[in-house]
Amino acid sequence: SLDTVRCHCKKESMTRTSTPPPQLTLADLTEALASLLAEGYRGSASGRVRDLPDARTVRWYQTTGLVDRPHEYRGRTALFGRRHLLQLAAIKTLQASGFPLAEIQQGIAGRTDAELSKAAGTTVKAANAVIADIAQRTAAANDERLRAAVTGTRPDQNEPTASRRKSSFWAV
């Protein structure tokens, strides 16, 4: 019956725990794109187009509709996901093949992640691996910065920083 299906779905959704996919900042997104396209991507032969977009270019792509808007914002920081990475990879690969941006925009509009990865000459699995690697490195760097802030040491040394040693705040 319909009530049984509703109850089953409710129980199942309550027992499933899913971790949200890693989110990338704009700097992480451009780094991830460089990693994803590192193998097999030769860039533009004409030299008229940048091989990899910088942050300003990515924002322009968003404004023109080539790339989706960020999934969410954390404060003023835009957060991007796998789809954005695959869109950028497809754009740069197609652009390097000589297609103008207007045609690329029409060609990639509404495409699935699998279709975007195929256009970019990569796989969804490869994109996920690049994102996971960057997320892991970012988490490790954040942990190190937090540890340094809590202990009063610089990340590269085990001594307290000079400003912390001179501080009279902790003195009695």
Side-chain angles (χ1 to χ4, degrees):
S1 79
L2 188 56
D3 290 334
T4 307
V5 171
R6 280 190 199 139
C7 182
H8 178 68
C9 290
K10 187 176 179 182
K11 284 180 187 174
E12 197 170 304
S13 66
M14 288 178 9
T15 58
R16 270 193 229 155
T17 58
S18 63
T19 58
Q23 299 291 315
L24 303 170
T25 63
L26 187 53
D28 292 339
L29 182 64
T30 56
E31 181 185 341
L33 181 62
S35 295
L36 186 63
L37 294 179
E39 223 175 280
Y41 175 69
R42 294 185 192 99
S44 177
S46 70
R48 292 178 42 196
V49 178
R50 292 182 81 137
D51 288 337
L52 296 170
D54 58 4
R56 184 176 181 184
T57 305
V58 173
R59 286 191 290 269
W60 184 76
Y61 287 166
Q62 290 174 349
T63 302
T64 59
L66 274 162
V67 175
D68 294 345
R69 297 236 177 253
H71 286 300
E72 63 180 277
Y73 288 87
R74 187 172 299 139
R76 293 180 58 200
T77 303
L79 298 175
F80 302 89
R82 178 182 69 203
R83 180 163 182 78
H84 300 99
L85 177 60
L86 291 172
Q87 286 174 326
L88 288 171
I91 290 166
K92 295 317 292 181
T93 302
L94 293 169
Q95 212 175 18
S97 298
F99 290 97
L101 286 177
E103 287 182 30
I104 294 170
Q105 185 173 17
Q106 290 175 348
I108 67 171
R111 299 293 179 190
T112 65
D113 287 0
E115 291 170 325
L116 290 170
S117 67
K118 187 174 181 181
T122 188
T123 64
V124 172
K125 186 177 180 179
N128 287 339
V130 166
I131 291 170
D133 180 54
I134 289 178
Q136 183 179 16
R137 280 190 276 144
T138 301
N142 288 343
D143 288 347
E144 187 62 33
R145 281 198 320 263
L146 179 61
R147 183 177 303 110
V150 169
T151 61
T153 58
R154 292 196 312 228
D156 57 343
Q157 295 180 343
N158 290 330
E159 286 185 34
T161 58
S163 63
R164 187 66 100 180
R165 277 184 265 142
K166 291 180 183 178
S167 175
S168 62
F169 179 80
W170 298 106
V172 189

